[in-house]
Amino acid sequence: METVGIDISKLSFDLAVGSSRTVETFEYTPAGMKKAFRKISNAAPDLVAMESTGGYENRLAQFLQKRNFNVAVVNPRRIRAFAQSLGLLAKTDRIDANLIARYAALVQPRHMRKITPESLKLKALAARRRQLIDMRTAEKNRMEHADDKLVARSLKTIIKALDKNVESIEEAIRSIVQRNESLSEKVRCLMTVPGIGSLTAHCLIVDLPELGEYNRRQIAALVGVAPFNRDSGTFKGKRMTGGGRRQVRTQLYMPTLSAIQHNPVIRAFNQRHVTMGKPKMTTVIASMRKLLVIMNTMLKNREEWKPKFA
């Protein structure tokens, strides 16, 4: 399998073909991307891999996808773990394009879905919504210690402004989804699940576009609710969860609690775990996984909620 690894920064990117140790640097400009395209075309790779770098990768990934290359954007932690397994990455070491190419050849990560202007817009809106909510939470926490009237009035003004901004962002997300028949149908389908409201359905569609495309194990691992063994030291015999998309877990937490109360399938599932003596948070995460897997099956089969999912 021929692979290309790309290490991206704000102004430039390094490129390495897997079968070669040579690393070339290109300016991150339209002209630089065209030069890199010629280099990549000559290599005819099965996969082009790059690290997720806070959004810098999107422009190049979209450029390459339009030219029919399979592109994988990989979590930096995975590549760093791979580097450590090779005895690399002392504190002065850096991830380079050649290492990314080697990782891609060995692991063969799944290539990403097609990037569209619409998906980029939704992703940016979802990220901004999370930022605004974090700021609002911080301001509300400060209200608890705002003894001065002027400070309290300032905090209330900011919180009110943030509320309006969050509403505006959520309305923009709903508007984009409504104009897309496929996305709006997915939202409608998800909202038939007891415990899943409009806001959660829209956030899932934006932050977890793979929902309905992966199998149950893959989608659980992607979100970070898949249990794995950790038979080491005091943790021997225990199973752990973690990693994955924290923002999706955060978004699913309250709907899961609601489903435990009002969704008969999730309520019965949770009660079985409680009866087994499982800790409360363990039962909640297990219920979240159950809810996620059910929604994944629903979208995959294009069907609405049914009691048969028990």
PDB file of all heavy atoms in Angstrom, residues 182-208:
ATOM      1  N   SER A 182     -31.169  14.929   3.056  1.00  0.00           N
ATOM      2  CA  SER A 182     -30.597  13.780   3.749  1.00  0.00           C
ATOM      3  C   SER A 182     -30.405  14.067   5.239  1.00  0.00           C
ATOM      4  O   SER A 182     -30.765  13.252   6.101  1.00  0.00           O
ATOM      5  CB  SER A 182     -29.254  13.397   3.117  1.00  0.00           C
ATOM      6  OG  SER A 182     -28.634  12.357   3.841  1.00  0.00           O
ATOM      7  N   LEU A 183     -29.844  15.236   5.554  1.00  0.00           N
ATOM      8  CA  LEU A 183     -29.599  15.586   6.951  1.00  0.00           C
ATOM      9  C   LEU A 183     -30.904  15.787   7.713  1.00  0.00           C
ATOM     10  O   LEU A 183     -31.040  15.350   8.864  1.00  0.00           O
ATOM     11  CB  LEU A 183     -28.751  16.853   7.034  1.00  0.00           C
ATOM     12  CG  LEU A 183     -27.324  16.763   6.503  1.00  0.00           C
ATOM     13  CD1 LEU A 183     -26.608  18.095   6.670  1.00  0.00           C
ATOM     14  CD2 LEU A 183     -26.542  15.655   7.204  1.00  0.00           C
ATOM     15  N   SER A 184     -31.870  16.444   7.082  1.00  0.00           N
ATOM     16  CA  SER A 184     -33.141  16.702   7.765  1.00  0.00           C
ATOM     17  C   SER A 184     -33.884  15.397   8.037  1.00  0.00           C
ATOM     18  O   SER A 184     -34.558  15.259   9.064  1.00  0.00           O
ATOM     19  CB  SER A 184     -34.012  17.651   6.942  1.00  0.00           C
ATOM     20  OG  SER A 184     -34.286  17.115   5.661  1.00  0.00           O
ATOM     21  N   GLU A 185     -33.741  14.419   7.140  1.00  0.00           N
ATOM     22  CA  GLU A 185     -34.382  13.121   7.356  1.00  0.00           C
ATOM     23  C   GLU A 185     -33.725  12.395   8.537  1.00  0.00           C
ATOM     24  O   GLU A 185     -34.402  11.739   9.333  1.00  0.00           O
ATOM     25  CB  GLU A 185     -34.275  12.278   6.084  1.00  0.00           C
ATOM     26  CG  GLU A 185     -34.825  10.857   6.214  1.00  0.00           C
ATOM     27  CD  GLU A 185     -36.287  10.819   6.601  1.00  0.00           C
ATOM     28  OE1 GLU A 185     -37.012  11.799   6.321  1.00  0.00           O
ATOM     29  OE2 GLU A 185     -36.711   9.809   7.191  1.00  0.00           O
ATOM     30  N   LYS A 186     -32.406  12.524   8.660  1.00  0.00           N
ATOM     31  CA  LYS A 186     -31.710  11.902   9.788  1.00  0.00           C
ATOM     32  C   LYS A 186     -32.157  12.533  11.108  1.00  0.00           C
ATOM     33  O   LYS A 186     -32.373  11.825  12.097  1.00  0.00           O
ATOM     34  CB  LYS A 186     -30.199  12.056   9.620  1.00  0.00           C
ATOM     35  CG  LYS A 186     -29.601  11.165   8.543  1.00  0.00           C
ATOM     36  CD  LYS A 186     -28.087  11.340   8.464  1.00  0.00           C
ATOM     37  CE  LYS A 186     -27.483  10.419   7.418  1.00  0.00           C
ATOM     38  NZ  LYS A 186     -25.999  10.581   7.344  1.00  0.00           N
ATOM     39  N   VAL A 187     -32.292  13.850  11.117  1.00  0.00           N
ATOM     40  CA  VAL A 187     -32.745  14.542  12.328  1.00  0.00           C
ATOM     41  C   VAL A 187     -34.150  14.085  12.701  1.00  0.00           C
ATOM     42  O   VAL A 187     -34.444  13.793  13.876  1.00  0.00           O
ATOM     43  CB  VAL A 187     -32.716  16.070  12.131  1.00  0.00           C
ATOM     44  CG1 VAL A 187     -33.481  16.777  13.249  1.00  0.00           C
ATOM     45  CG2 VAL A 187     -31.282  16.573  12.089  1.00  0.00           C
ATOM     46  N   ARG A 188     -35.019  14.024  11.712  1.00  0.00           N
ATOM     47  CA  ARG A 188     -36.399  13.584  11.971  1.00  0.00           C
ATOM     48  C   ARG A 188     -36.422  12.175  12.547  1.00  0.00           C
ATOM     49  O   ARG A 188     -37.167  11.878  13.484  1.00  0.00           O
ATOM     50  CB  ARG A 188     -37.208  13.633  10.676  1.00  0.00           C
ATOM     51  CG  ARG A 188     -38.706  13.405  10.864  1.00  0.00           C
ATOM     52  CD  ARG A 188     -39.397  13.118   9.553  1.00  0.00           C
ATOM     53  NE  ARG A 188     -38.916  11.878   8.974  1.00  0.00           N
ATOM     54  CZ  ARG A 188     -39.302  10.669   9.387  1.00  0.00           C
ATOM     55  NH1 ARG A 188     -40.157  10.550  10.390  1.00  0.00           N
ATOM     56  NH2 ARG A 188     -38.832   9.589   8.813  1.00  0.00           N
ATOM     57  N   CYS A 189     -35.581  11.311  11.992  1.00  0.00           N
ATOM     58  CA  CYS A 189     -35.513   9.919  12.458  1.00  0.00           C
ATOM     59  C   CYS A 189     -35.021   9.862  13.904  1.00  0.00           C
ATOM     60  O   CYS A 189     -35.598   9.156  14.743  1.00  0.00           O
ATOM     61  CB  CYS A 189     -34.585   9.131  11.536  1.00  0.00           C
ATOM     62  SG  CYS A 189     -34.434   7.379  11.963  1.00  0.00           S
ATOM     63  N   LEU A 190     -33.969  10.602  14.226  1.00  0.00           N
ATOM     64  CA  LEU A 190     -33.407  10.582  15.575  1.00  0.00           C
ATOM     65  C   LEU A 190     -34.393  11.120  16.604  1.00  0.00           C
ATOM     66  O   LEU A 190     -34.426  10.661  17.756  1.00  0.00           O
ATOM     67  CB  LEU A 190     -32.113  11.400  15.618  1.00  0.00           C
ATOM     68  CG  LEU A 190     -30.908  10.807  14.885  1.00  0.00           C
ATOM     69  CD1 LEU A 190     -29.735  11.787  14.918  1.00  0.00           C
ATOM     70  CD2 LEU A 190     -30.496   9.466  15.488  1.00  0.00           C
ATOM     71  N   MET A 191     -35.205  12.080  16.197  1.00  0.00           N
ATOM     72  CA  MET A 191     -36.149  12.693  17.136  1.00  0.00           C
ATOM     73  C   MET A 191     -37.315  11.774  17.488  1.00  0.00           C
ATOM     74  O   MET A 191     -38.099  12.088  18.377  1.00  0.00           O
ATOM     75  CB  MET A 191     -36.661  14.018  16.574  1.00  0.00           C
ATOM     76  CG  MET A 191     -35.623  15.133  16.596  1.00  0.00           C
ATOM     77  SD  MET A 191     -36.231  16.690  15.871  1.00  0.00           S
ATOM     78  CE  MET A 191     -37.603  17.060  16.986  1.00  0.00           C
ATOM     79  N   THR A 192     -37.427  10.623  16.816  1.00  0.00           N
ATOM     80  CA  THR A 192     -38.451   9.654  17.205  1.00  0.00           C
ATOM     81  C   THR A 192     -38.003   8.829  18.413  1.00  0.00           C
ATOM     82  O   THR A 192     -38.809   8.097  18.988  1.00  0.00           O
ATOM     83  CB  THR A 192     -38.781   8.692  16.037  1.00  0.00           C
ATOM     84  OG1 THR A 192     -37.625   7.887  15.725  1.00  0.00           O
ATOM     85  CG2 THR A 192     -39.210   9.460  14.800  1.00  0.00           C
ATOM     86  N   VAL A 193     -36.727   8.960  18.799  1.00  0.00           N
ATOM     87  CA  VAL A 193     -36.205   8.229  19.959  1.00  0.00           C
ATOM     88  C   VAL A 193     -36.631   8.947  21.236  1.00  0.00           C
ATOM     89  O   VAL A 193     -36.332  10.136  21.399  1.00  0.00           O
ATOM     90  CB  VAL A 193     -34.667   8.139  19.919  1.00  0.00           C
ATOM     91  CG1 VAL A 193     -34.141   7.361  21.127  1.00  0.00           C
ATOM     92  CG2 VAL A 193     -34.197   7.485  18.628  1.00  0.00           C
ATOM     93  N   PRO A 194     -37.313   8.283  22.162  1.00  0.00           N
ATOM     94  CA  PRO A 194     -37.666   8.916  23.433  1.00  0.00           C
ATOM     95  C   PRO A 194     -36.420   9.387  24.178  1.00  0.00           C
ATOM     96  O   PRO A 194     -35.514   8.594  24.447  1.00  0.00           O
ATOM     97  CB  PRO A 194     -38.370   7.780  24.205  1.00  0.00           C
ATOM     98  CG  PRO A 194     -38.895   6.867  23.137  1.00  0.00           C
ATOM     99  CD  PRO A 194     -37.869   6.910  22.047  1.00  0.00           C
ATOM    100  N   GLY A 195     -36.349  10.671  24.463  1.00  0.00           N
ATOM    101  CA  GLY A 195     -35.179  11.223  25.143  1.00  0.00           C
ATOM    102  C   GLY A 195     -34.303  12.069  24.247  1.00  0.00           C
ATOM    103  O   GLY A 195     -33.447  12.808  24.740  1.00  0.00           O
ATOM    104  N   ILE A 196     -34.492  11.976  22.932  1.00  0.00           N
ATOM    105  CA  ILE A 196     -33.684  12.753  21.988  1.00  0.00           C
ATOM    106  C   ILE A 196     -34.515  13.891  21.422  1.00  0.00           C
ATOM    107  O   ILE A 196     -35.520  13.673  20.737  1.00  0.00           O
ATOM    108  CB  ILE A 196     -33.156  11.863  20.835  1.00  0.00           C
ATOM    109  CG1 ILE A 196     -32.286  10.741  21.380  1.00  0.00           C
ATOM    110  CG2 ILE A 196     -32.381  12.704  19.830  1.00  0.00           C
ATOM    111  CD1 ILE A 196     -31.031  11.205  22.098  1.00  0.00           C
ATOM    112  N   GLY A 197     -34.096  15.119  21.720  1.00  0.00           N
ATOM    113  CA  GLY A 197     -34.800  16.297  21.226  1.00  0.00           C
ATOM    114  C   GLY A 197     -34.133  16.877  19.996  1.00  0.00           C
ATOM    115  O   GLY A 197     -33.133  16.353  19.494  1.00  0.00           O
ATOM    116  N   SER A 198     -34.668  17.984  19.536  1.00  0.00           N
ATOM    117  CA  SER A 198     -34.186  18.626  18.318  1.00  0.00           C
ATOM    118  C   SER A 198     -32.721  19.037  18.426  1.00  0.00           C
ATOM    119  O   SER A 198     -31.922  18.791  17.518  1.00  0.00           O
ATOM    120  CB  SER A 198     -35.044  19.845  17.999  1.00  0.00           C
ATOM    121  OG  SER A 198     -34.506  20.580  16.915  1.00  0.00           O
ATOM    122  N   LEU A 199     -32.349  19.670  19.546  1.00  0.00           N
ATOM    123  CA  LEU A 199     -30.985  20.166  19.709  1.00  0.00           C
ATOM    124  C   LEU A 199     -29.978  19.021  19.689  1.00  0.00           C
ATOM    125  O   LEU A 199     -28.954  19.080  18.997  1.00  0.00           O
ATOM    126  CB  LEU A 199     -30.857  20.952  21.013  1.00  0.00           C
ATOM    127  CG  LEU A 199     -29.469  21.508  21.331  1.00  0.00           C
ATOM    128  CD1 LEU A 199     -28.996  22.432  20.207  1.00  0.00           C
ATOM    129  CD2 LEU A 199     -29.486  22.255  22.662  1.00  0.00           C
ATOM    130  N   THR A 200     -30.262  17.938  20.431  1.00  0.00           N
ATOM    131  CA  THR A 200     -29.352  16.784  20.452  1.00  0.00           C
ATOM    132  C   THR A 200     -29.252  16.150  19.077  1.00  0.00           C
ATOM    133  O   THR A 200     -28.158  15.780  18.637  1.00  0.00           O
ATOM    134  CB  THR A 200     -29.845  15.737  21.474  1.00  0.00           C
ATOM    135  OG1 THR A 200     -29.899  16.330  22.766  1.00  0.00           O
ATOM    136  CG2 THR A 200     -28.905  14.543  21.519  1.00  0.00           C
ATOM    137  N   ALA A 201     -30.370  16.014  18.389  1.00  0.00           N
ATOM    138  CA  ALA A 201     -30.365  15.405  17.059  1.00  0.00           C
ATOM    139  C   ALA A 201     -29.502  16.204  16.094  1.00  0.00           C
ATOM    140  O   ALA A 201     -28.704  15.640  15.336  1.00  0.00           O
ATOM    141  CB  ALA A 201     -31.789  15.294  16.523  1.00  0.00           C
ATOM    142  N   HIS A 202     -29.639  17.527  16.125  1.00  0.00           N
ATOM    143  CA  HIS A 202     -28.833  18.374  15.238  1.00  0.00           C
ATOM    144  C   HIS A 202     -27.346  18.286  15.587  1.00  0.00           C
ATOM    145  O   HIS A 202     -26.489  18.210  14.687  1.00  0.00           O
ATOM    146  CB  HIS A 202     -29.307  19.830  15.320  1.00  0.00           C
ATOM    147  CG  HIS A 202     -30.537  20.108  14.514  1.00  0.00           C
ATOM    148  ND1 HIS A 202     -31.807  19.873  14.997  1.00  0.00           N
ATOM    149  CD2 HIS A 202     -30.699  20.597  13.256  1.00  0.00           C
ATOM    150  CE1 HIS A 202     -32.684  20.205  14.075  1.00  0.00           C
ATOM    151  NE2 HIS A 202     -32.046  20.648  13.007  1.00  0.00           N
ATOM    152  N   CYS A 203     -27.039  18.285  16.878  1.00  0.00           N
ATOM    153  CA  CYS A 203     -25.632  18.200  17.289  1.00  0.00           C
ATOM    154  C   CYS A 203     -25.014  16.862  16.885  1.00  0.00           C
ATOM    155  O   CYS A 203     -23.846  16.811  16.492  1.00  0.00           O
ATOM    156  CB  CYS A 203     -25.512  18.405  18.794  1.00  0.00           C
ATOM    157  SG  CYS A 203     -25.827  20.118  19.318  1.00  0.00           S
ATOM    158  N   LEU A 204     -25.776  15.786  16.988  1.00  0.00           N
ATOM    159  CA  LEU A 204     -25.262  14.475  16.582  1.00  0.00           C
ATOM    160  C   LEU A 204     -24.967  14.441  15.091  1.00  0.00           C
ATOM    161  O   LEU A 204     -23.942  13.901  14.658  1.00  0.00           O
ATOM    162  CB  LEU A 204     -26.275  13.380  16.938  1.00  0.00           C
ATOM    163  CG  LEU A 204     -26.370  12.983  18.404  1.00  0.00           C
ATOM    164  CD1 LEU A 204     -27.531  12.024  18.618  1.00  0.00           C
ATOM    165  CD2 LEU A 204     -25.069  12.345  18.870  1.00  0.00           C
ATOM    166  N   ILE A 205     -25.845  15.011  14.297  1.00  0.00           N
ATOM    167  CA  ILE A 205     -25.654  15.026  12.847  1.00  0.00           C
ATOM    168  C   ILE A 205     -24.396  15.802  12.475  1.00  0.00           C
ATOM    169  O   ILE A 205     -23.651  15.426  11.570  1.00  0.00           O
ATOM    170  CB  ILE A 205     -26.891  15.642  12.147  1.00  0.00           C
ATOM    171  CG1 ILE A 205     -28.102  14.726  12.303  1.00  0.00           C
ATOM    172  CG2 ILE A 205     -26.608  15.900  10.672  1.00  0.00           C
ATOM    173  CD1 ILE A 205     -27.899  13.328  11.753  1.00  0.00           C
ATOM    174  N   VAL A 206     -24.120  16.879  13.205  1.00  0.00           N
ATOM    175  CA  VAL A 206     -22.969  17.726  12.892  1.00  0.00           C
ATOM    176  C   VAL A 206     -21.671  17.134  13.441  1.00  0.00           C
ATOM    177  O   VAL A 206     -20.667  17.045  12.731  1.00  0.00           O
ATOM    178  CB  VAL A 206     -23.173  19.147  13.446  1.00  0.00           C
ATOM    179  CG1 VAL A 206     -21.922  19.992  13.221  1.00  0.00           C
ATOM    180  CG2 VAL A 206     -24.371  19.803  12.781  1.00  0.00           C
ATOM    181  N   ASP A 207     -21.680  16.729  14.727  1.00  0.00           N
ATOM    182  CA  ASP A 207     -20.459  16.274  15.391  1.00  0.00           C
ATOM    183  C   ASP A 207     -20.163  14.798  15.175  1.00  0.00           C
ATOM    184  O   ASP A 207     -19.054  14.338  15.440  1.00  0.00           O
ATOM    185  CB  ASP A 207     -20.539  16.546  16.904  1.00  0.00           C
ATOM    186  CG  ASP A 207     -20.449  18.027  17.226  1.00  0.00           C
ATOM    187  OD1 ASP A 207     -19.728  18.748  16.497  1.00  0.00           O
ATOM    188  OD2 ASP A 207     -21.103  18.473  18.188  1.00  0.00           O
ATOM    189  N   LEU A 208     -21.157  14.045  14.704  1.00  0.00           N
ATOM    190  CA  LEU A 208     -20.961  12.609  14.478  1.00  0.00           C
ATOM    191  C   LEU A 208     -21.578  12.209  13.136  1.00  0.00           C
ATOM    192  O   LEU A 208     -22.527  11.431  13.081  1.00  0.00           O
ATOM    193  CB  LEU A 208     -21.592  11.814  15.628  1.00  0.00           C
ATOM    194  CG  LEU A 208     -21.237  10.330  15.744  1.00  0.00           C
ATOM    195  CD1 LEU A 208     -19.752  10.135  15.988  1.00  0.00           C
ATOM    196  CD2 LEU A 208     -22.043   9.681  16.862  1.00  0.00           C
TER     197      LEU A 208
END
